[in-house]
């Protein structure tokens, strides 16, 4: 559809997930005109697209919510420890209605290009409807996990059955009753959906390339008092979360080396945290993320749990992760994942040394020639994470510099907020910020607040251009890499490092220094007059 409108705003926000919606609200309240452009036909982002069975948050609902408005927290009642996708989506829709956000959102519209004009210090934003918006401030709230990735295997389009990607699930749902189903992948999306699909399907075959570490959710219904207590203290709790390492409260950190205690004590501590469920195990000892021997104790504990739960010893061994340290790929939080492999209608096929060679019209074929037939294939194969959504847009900064060229060897940002050479463009939870290593709601609010405060600061001083200084960006990129190298994280072939996308530069993308230290650094930068950024007035005025 082409409308050829020319539309002028102070700011354009791309994306109507948690980040875009809060950014819209903050800018509107600060008196900036703003338009959100969203590819989907409604709000929700991640929770609009990922409607696969079993989808839930892995950060507890009471923390995986906005914290900026105590009234909102009082008005919305979460029902479970880990909310389901439909409940989270209802919450986001409630937020959009409550603050009347939809009137400033252009739905079903994809941003295809954004070009900066030096002379006017403005961006022109092009869409797939033929619109050309102009704005001073371009805010990319495009999501870190919003570009689903299917495997580079021939024949995907030739499959005659039903094909689904967890990250683009049909809105009307899928009924697998009586069907032979394949799930490809064993990351968080697979681990959540496999138990539910197994209960429905006649037969389920899980194709696993790399086993993942998963911990039980021990999900439960929240009672009135738990919810009310958080609602009453939401602002205080959110402020506290911003001082923690992952933006998560309630994970008691045991400041002791895993190697400094006896085997019995270690086991007791891991058992205690396994019983709590969720990410509690992450705080068991202080050196699991940095010392390989300490890490191995956690890894072996989870393997022992897998062997306890899964009855068939061969399947149990195949499910045990061995070739990367515990926690260096996103830890999965499950409801009866390992137990599912005790069902007679579920089979695990390891494709580690025998990859999928081809998707055939009837199913798939492995490299050794083994053939399988299916009625449906579920691709739980992840995302082109962190940079994917940004690089799909033809973004051109100063002097026509393309973001694709600038990031040819991996993303480079200052604080994950701006890219040198791309004035007036901000990335919410961009690479180089804690982002996906944190409770995203905490990181999103911290970024949106910082950006809004920054724009108010510039307006008060009649400044029209802000751009990361190249030297500040270089120093930040070095720091992000140095901190990552102090940990075991870069040892895993994870999506954090781009390893899941062939040809993607191998760079550890999020900042692992912690939400608390990071937020403090951002606040200091602002307090020092936006140190490391170059600020200037309207180009016409400075001539
Ligand atoms: P998104 O929600 O991804 O929204 C980005 C929006 O931008 C999308 O709607 C997309 O359509 C739109 N967009 C992108 N490009 C364009 C374009 N060119 N033009 C127009 N629109 C565009 N994080 C946690 O902290 N805890 C969790 O429990 C958790 N669970 C998750 C579960 C799943 C299944 C997934 C995939 C991710 C999960 N995450 C979780 C991460 C999650 O992505 C964030 O928590 C959060 O929802 C991100 O919000 P966002 O607004 O930044 O991005
Ligand atoms: P993912 O973690 O990247 O997992 C993708 C899976 O597909 C991996 O097991 C991967 O194997 C496999 N795979 C990819 N390409 C393949 C191929 N060609 N052949 C065989 N297997 C292939 O993706 P995800 O599960 O969608 O999760 C992504 C992130 O989203 C999570 O890490 C998390 O941050 C978030 N998320 C959170 C939740 C939650 O619990 N709230 C749920 C879903 C997602 P390899 O490991 O070998 O590459």
């Amino acid at each position: 559809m082409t409308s050829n409108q020319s539309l002028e705003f102070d700011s354009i926000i791309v994306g109507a997930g948690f980040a875009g919606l809060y950014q819209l609200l903050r800018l509107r309240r600060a008196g900036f005109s703003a338009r959100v452009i969203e590819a989907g036909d409604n709000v929700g982002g991640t929770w609009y697209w990922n409607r696969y069975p079993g989808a839930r948050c892995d950060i507890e609902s009471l923390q995986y919510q906005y914290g900026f408005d105590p009234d909102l927290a009082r008005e919305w009642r979460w029902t479970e420890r880990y909310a389901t996708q439909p409940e989270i989506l209802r919450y986001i829709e409630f937020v959009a209605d409550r603050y009347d956000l939809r009137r400033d959102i252009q739905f079903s519209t994809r941003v295809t290009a954004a070009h900066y004009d030096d002379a006017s210090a403005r961006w022109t934003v092009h869409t797939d409807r033929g619109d050309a918006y102009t704005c001073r401030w371009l805010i990319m709230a495009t999501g870190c996990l919003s570009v689903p990735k299917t495997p580079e295997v021939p024949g995907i389009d030739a499959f005659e059955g039903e094909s689904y990607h967890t990250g683009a699930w049909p809105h009307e749902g899928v009924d697998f009753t009586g069907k032979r189903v394949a799930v490809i992948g064993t990351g968080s999306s697979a681990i959540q959906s496999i138990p539910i699909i197994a209960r429905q399907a006649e037969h389920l075959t899980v194709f696993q390339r790399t086993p993942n570490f998963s911990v039980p959710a021990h999900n439960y219904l929240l009672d009135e008092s738990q919810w009310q207590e958080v609602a009453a203290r939401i602002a205080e709790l959110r402020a506290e979360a911003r001082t923690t390492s992952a933006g998560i409260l309630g994970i008691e950190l045991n400041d002791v080396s895993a190697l400094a205690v006896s085997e019995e004590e270690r086991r007791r501590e891991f058992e205690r945290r396994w019983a709590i469920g969720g990410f509690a195990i992450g705080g068991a000892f202080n050196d699991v993320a940095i010392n390989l021997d300490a890490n191995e104790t956690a890894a072996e504990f989870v393997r022992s749990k897998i062997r306890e739960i899964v009855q068939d010893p061969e399947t149990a061994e195949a499910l045990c992760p061995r070739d990367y340290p515990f926690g260096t790929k996103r830890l999965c939080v499950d409801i009866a994942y390992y137990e599912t492999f005790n069902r007679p209608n579920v089979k695990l096929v390891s494709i580690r040394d025998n990859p999928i060679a081809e998707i055939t019209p009837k199913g798939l074929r492995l490299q050794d020639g083994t053939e399988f037939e299916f009625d449906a294939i579920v691709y739980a194969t992840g995302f082109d994470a962190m940079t994917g959504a940004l690089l799909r847009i033809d973004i051109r900064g100063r002097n026509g510099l393309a973001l694709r060229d600038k990031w040819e060897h991996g993303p480079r940002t200052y604080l994950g907020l701006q890219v040198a050479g791309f004035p007036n463009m901000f990335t919410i939870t961009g690479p180089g910020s804690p982002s996906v290593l944190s409770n995203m709601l905490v990181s999103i609010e911290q970024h949106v607040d910082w950006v809004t405060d920054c724009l108010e600061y510039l307006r008060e001083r009649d400044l029209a251009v802000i751009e990361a200084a190249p030297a500040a960006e270089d120093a930040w990129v070095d720091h992000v890499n140095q901190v990552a190298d102090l940990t075991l994280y870069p040892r895993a072939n994870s999506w954090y490092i781009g390893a899941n996308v062939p040809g993607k530069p191998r760079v550890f993308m999020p900042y692992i220094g912690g939400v608390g230290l990071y937020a403090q650094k951002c606040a200091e930068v602002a307090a020092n007059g936006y140190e490391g950024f170059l600020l200037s007035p309207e180009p016409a005025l400075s001539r």
Side-chain angles (χ1 to χ4, degrees):
M1 193 200 302
T2 302
S3 57
N4 286 319
Q5 300 175 65
S6 177
L7 300 159
E8 211 170 309
F9 293 89
D10 293 333
S11 46
I12 292 289
I13 301 161
V14 189
F18 273 117
L21 294 183
Y22 181 48
Q23 185 66 77
L24 171 61
L25 181 64
R26 283 284 335 250
L27 289 179
R28 194 194 270 172
R29 286 181 169 173
F32 293 98
S33 65
R35 188 85 175 148
V36 177
I37 305 175
E38 166 57 56
D41 66 12
N42 210 332
V43 296
T46 287
W47 305 101
Y48 168 92
W49 297 106
N50 290 263
R51 300 177 189 232
Y52 60 84
R56 290 174 186 270
C57 49
D58 58 6
I59 305 277
E60 298 188 14
S61 323
L62 293 175
Q63 300 195 48
Y64 192 67
Q65 64 173 329
Y66 287 121
F68 66 85
D69 185 346
D71 288 337
L72 172 64
R74 274 190 291 272
E75 286 163 29
W76 185 265
R77 161 113 209 233
W78 294 103
T79 61
E80 294 179 64
R81 181 183 187 185
Y82 297 102
T84 61
Q85 172 272 330
E87 184 165 331
I88 301 171
L89 185 58
R90 279 199 302 279
Y91 169 73
I92 303 178
E93 289 179 350
F94 173 76
V95 169
D97 292 339
R98 190 188 187 285
Y99 301 100
D100 188 20
L101 297 176
R102 284 193 177 83
R103 67 181 155 90
D104 288 324
I105 306 177
Q106 172 71 49
F107 289 111
S108 307
T109 305
R110 184 167 287 281
V111 169
T112 52
H115 296 164
Y116 182 73
D117 174 49
D118 283 301
S120 62
R122 292 181 76 83
W123 285 89
T124 302
V125 176
H126 299 275
T127 75
D128 61 357
R129 287 171 175 261
D131 299 329
Y133 293 80
T134 58
C135 62
R136 168 124 303 150
W137 317 114
L138 175 62
I139 301 172
M140 306 308 286
T142 42
C144 294
L145 295 159
S146 57
V147 177
K149 206 198 141 288
T150 38
E152 291 72 20
V153 182
I156 287 180
D157 294 336
F159 182 58
E160 289 165 359
E162 306 157 33
S163 299
Y164 306 101
H165 191 290
T166 50
W169 203 260
H171 289 199
E172 62 281 10
V174 180
D175 184 2
F176 291 113
T177 308
K179 294 193 173 142
R180 297 161 304 164
V181 182
V183 171
I184 301 176
T186 47
S188 302
S189 302
I191 280 176
Q192 288 187 326
S193 56
I194 283 167
I196 317 257
I197 296 175
R199 291 207 291 271
Q200 235 180 41
E202 180 190 300
H203 193 272
L204 170 63
T205 311
V206 176
F207 291 91
Q208 172 189 272
R209 188 164 66 183
T210 314
N212 256 292
F213 291 101
S214 190
V215 292
H218 297 316
N219 192 37
Y220 49 73
L221 292 177
L222 291 169
D223 67 34
E224 186 86 9
S225 64
Q226 286 165 304
W227 157 70
Q228 277 183 353
E229 196 193 316
V230 170
R233 297 175 52 222
I234 189 85
E236 182 195 330
L237 293 171
R238 186 48 48 100
E240 198 184 325
R242 271 195 197 182
T243 66
T244 62
S245 68
I248 308 172
L249 293 173
I251 296 187
E252 178 204 331
L253 297 174
N254 184 20
D255 200 8
V256 173
S257 163
L259 306 174
V261 298
S262 68
E263 206 178 320
E264 295 70 39
E265 200 177 320
R266 204 160 48 221
R267 177 95 199 172
R268 215 172 24 249
E269 186 62 12
F270 283 136
E271 286 284 5
R272 190 173 75 76
R273 288 169 184 267
W274 183 269
I276 296 169
F279 293 140
I281 199 166
F285 295 102
N286 65 10
D287 50 357
V288 167
I290 51 174
N291 178 313
L292 209 50
D293 293 335
N295 188 282
E296 179 55 21
T297 67
E300 191 47 34
F301 172 77
V302 178
R303 287 183 211 121
S304 74
K305 285 291 174 191
I306 297 172
R307 291 186 200 107
E308 250 171 60
I309 300 168
V310 179
Q311 287 152 7
D312 173 46
E314 223 175 283
T315 306
E317 280 317 308
L319 285 165
C320 287
R322 299 193 171 282
D323 55 4
Y324 62 94
F326 169 83
T328 55
K329 286 186 169 205
R330 172 87 169 200
L331 191 59
C332 301
V333 178
D334 73 90
I335 299 179
Y337 172 63
Y338 294 121
E339 289 83 346
T340 299
F341 291 94
N342 294 332
R343 294 177 65 99
N345 70 332
V346 176
K347 184 176 165 57
L348 180 74
V349 176
S350 173
I351 51 171
R352 187 191 161 73
D353 304 317
N354 185 19
I356 299 170
E358 191 186 0
I359 305 292
T360 63
K362 297 280 175 229
L364 62 80
R365 185 168 47 74
L366 301 183
Q367 205 173 57
D368 72 356
T370 314
E371 301 240 12
F372 296 83
E373 290 195 2
F374 299 110
D375 303 305
I377 298 179
V378 174
Y379 295 97
T381 44
F383 301 87
D384 183 354
M386 299 209 76
T387 54
L390 293 166
L391 294 178
R392 262 163 189 71
I393 303 169
D394 175 25
I395 299 178
R396 288 174 194 261
R398 205 182 275 292
N399 303 319
L401 174 66
L403 188 64
R404 285 173 196 150
D405 291 336
K406 162 104 194 199
W407 283 4
E408 191 189 350
H409 303 296
R412 300 182 66 78
T413 71
Y414 179 37
L415 297 171
L417 279 161
Q418 270 217 334
V419 183
F422 296 79
N424 294 356
M425 181 180 88
F426 297 91
T427 50
I428 303 298
T429 65
S433 72
S435 182
V436 291
L437 295 176
S438 68
N439 174 355
M440 288 289 272
L441 265 290
V442 172
S443 289
I444 284 170
E445 286 187 345
Q446 186 259 336
H447 262 193
V448 168
D449 289 345
W450 191 95
V451 169
T452 313
D453 292 349
C454 170
L455 299 190
E456 287 184 301
Y457 175 97
L458 298 173
R459 183 175 58 190
E460 279 160 21
R461 289 159 183 77
D462 286 329
L463 295 167
V465 186
I466 178 166
E467 179 181 356
E473 182 179 272
D474 290 346
W476 184 251
V477 170
D478 287 348
H479 175 63
V480 170
N481 289 329
Q482 278 160 11
V483 178
D485 288 341
L486 293 174
T487 74
L488 301 173
Y489 275 74
R491 298 190 187 212
N493 286 322
S494 67
W495 59 259
Y496 296 141
I497 208 159
N500 65 329
V501 179
K504 195 163 169 169
R506 204 182 158 95
V507 171
F508 193 79
M509 294 183 284
Y511 176 55
I512 205 168
V515 168
L517 282 177
Y518 172 80
Q520 199 183 324
K521 166 82 179 163
C522 290
E524 279 166 17
V525 162
N528 293 335
Y530 294 90
E531 200 174 16
F533 290 95
L534 307 168
L535 314 182
S536 47
E538 182 105 34
L541 299 178
S542 58
R543 270 187 214 123

